Amino acid sequence: MKIAVCDDEKYFRDELKTAINTYSSTHRLDTAVDEFKSGEDFLKAEQNYDVVFLDYQMAELNGLETARLMREKNIQSTIFFVTNHSDVVYKSFEVGTFRFFKKPLNAQELYKALDDYFKEQERDCPIILKIDRENVCVQARDIVYLEADNKKCKINLSDGKILHSPQTMATVEKLLPKNIFFKPHKSFVVNFRHIRSYDNSTINFINGKVAHISRKYLGDFKEAYRIYAKGRAL
């Protein structure tokens, strides 16, 4: 996951980068954070970022103008806006801002916003799989679990269908978001959102299917699922 932090104050860039890295480590996310001290530098980079943190008060090209130029260039990154100016909030809706922050940074507000962002991403995360010599688009949210089939892979879907891929389970696993999927056994990779219950050896899915947990991965599985479920429990 690629993240850009665009702010003309180095101390804030450092603070935000540290907070993002802490969140990523806790939630098992593979992130790379690039820093930019101006909107001009960011636009010159011409990189595809999943998320961009934009400061409004920057010299010459402010955050709002930077965001407008992003959209004109068809850059569809999710925007997190940093501003203390309430009048900018409404204008920023024109560029599809996801969330707003004020300085100084409140780490808990940042973590909550990132939680909300990833919940949104769970709903729409397409991956391309090789199935019967064709490239097939599958939504990650529809995958209940992967199952190793020698050097091939079975993809079990929520509608009951099973796709057979000539790719290995490890290859398919690399395409999936790490905060939602976990490998509890050498032969399985499971989707947390489809789990109905589990014990120390078995995972039961909402659709009635079952996967196994090995002792080797049991502790890590429980901790990863606890982190995923945090904030979702009533």
Side-chain angles (χ1 to χ4, degrees):
M1 179 180 176
K2 295 182 179 180
I3 300 175
V5 175
C6 187
D7 192 294
D8 57 2
E9 296 178 319
K10 187 178 186 307
Y11 83 90
F12 185 79
R13 296 198 304 269
D14 291 343
E15 184 181 24
L16 183 54
K17 185 175 181 179
T18 298
I20 292 171
N21 288 337
T22 298
Y23 181 92
S24 299
S25 177
T26 302
H27 291 78
R28 301 185 309 112
L29 298 171
D30 184 11
T31 58
V33 182
D34 291 339
E35 301 177 43
F36 300 92
K37 62 182 180 181
S38 70
E40 293 91 340
D41 287 348
F42 168 73
L43 293 171
K44 288 177 184 177
E46 296 185 347
Q47 293 287 325
N48 292 320
Y49 290 97
D50 300 288
V51 170
V52 178
F53 288 86
L54 274 177
D55 180 29
Y56 172 68
Q57 288 182 295
M58 292 188 291
E60 297 184 18
L61 194 65
N62 65 37
L64 186 58
E65 289 303 317
T66 300
R68 284 174 175 161
L69 289 172
M70 283 174 57
R71 296 314 189 210
E72 287 179 11
K73 290 174 175 286
N74 199 32
I75 299 174
Q76 298 303 313
S77 310
T78 298
I79 296 174
F80 288 76
F81 229 94
V82 181
T83 178
N84 287 320
H85 297 266
S86 58
D87 58 319
V88 177
V89 172
Y90 297 102
K91 294 179 183 178
S92 67
F93 288 136
E94 299 173 7
V95 294
T97 301
F98 181 77
R99 195 61 54 86
F100 304 91
F101 295 100
K102 292 182 179 181
K103 293 181 179 180
L105 178 68
N106 183 314
Q108 294 307 312
E109 288 182 0
L110 171 67
Y111 299 157
K112 174 61 169 62
L114 290 172
D115 283 344
D116 292 342
Y117 167 77
F118 283 110
K119 286 177 184 177
E120 289 291 327
Q121 295 305 300
E122 287 180 29
R123 300 188 182 101
D124 185 17
C125 184
I127 63 173
I128 305 298
L129 298 172
K130 291 182 180 179
I131 307 293
D132 295 330
R133 297 182 181 180
E134 293 184 341
N135 292 322
V136 178
C137 182
V138 177
Q139 296 294 332
R141 65 172 180 264
D142 295 330
I143 297 175
V144 179
Y145 64 95
L146 309 179
E147 184 176 1
D149 183 16
N150 292 319
K151 293 184 178 181
K152 299 179 182 180
C153 180
K154 295 179 183 178
I155 298 100
N156 290 265
L157 303 179
S158 56
D159 62 3
K161 293 181 181 178
I162 299 177
L163 302 179
H164 297 266
S165 173
Q167 297 168 293
T168 65
M169 187 178 76
T171 299
V172 178
E173 181 186 6
K174 290 179 180 179
L175 302 174
L176 302 172
K178 294 181 181 179
N179 61 316
I180 305 170
F181 287 84
F182 189 87
K183 182 181 177 181
H185 188 281
K186 65 179 182 180
S187 298
F188 295 96
V189 174
V190 303
N191 186 338
F192 286 146
R193 72 189 303 270
H194 288 281
I195 293 177
R196 178 174 61 81
S197 64
Y198 69 86
D199 54 30
N200 289 342
S201 62
T202 305
I203 298 172
N204 301 293
F205 298 103
I206 296 171
N207 66 356
K209 296 291 184 68
V210 174
H212 302 295
I213 308 175
S214 69
R215 289 184 179 181
K216 177 180 178 180
Y217 299 112
L218 179 60
D220 290 340
F221 168 78
K222 288 183 175 181
E223 176 61 14
Y225 189 72
R226 183 193 67 79
I227 291 171
Y228 168 79
K230 185 178 180 181
R232 291 173 169 83
L234 298 177

